[in-house]
Amino acid sequence: MKDKIKDGGPAFAAATKSCVQKGMSLRDYFAAKAMQSVYLLDGDNLMTHDDISKAAYDQADSMLKERERC
């Protein structure tokens, strides 16, 4: 049996009578959006999955920092 892939849990908040589950953070949301561009810009496929993920979260962190200026 294969090991279960860690998927990070639910992406969007959900509330039931018995519990409340947190959804993705704004940082995660920004990273997911940024990842699409990073992936498309790497037309030669030189970046690894880890490189793409790091670049996406770096962009998300930059976006969050910029939001603090408002």
Side-chain angles (χ1 to χ4, degrees), residues 33-45 47 52:
K33 294 293 188 176
M35 182 181 63
Q36 297 171 28
S37 296
V38 172
Y39 182 77
L40 289 174
L41 291 173
D42 183 33
D44 294 329
N45 296 317
M47 298 178 80
I52 292 170

Side-chain angles (χ1 to χ4, degrees), residues 6-49:
K6 294 180 183 178
D7 63 5
F12 300 98
T16 65
K17 291 180 182 180
S18 61
C19 68
V20 174
Q21 296 175 334
K22 291 183 179 181
M24 70 170 52
S25 68
L26 185 56
R27 182 176 186 251
D28 292 333
Y29 179 79
F30 283 166
K33 294 293 188 176
M35 182 181 63
Q36 297 171 28
S37 296
V38 172
Y39 182 77
L40 289 174
L41 291 173
D42 183 33
D44 294 329
N45 296 317
L46 300 175
M47 298 178 80
T48 66
H49 293 296

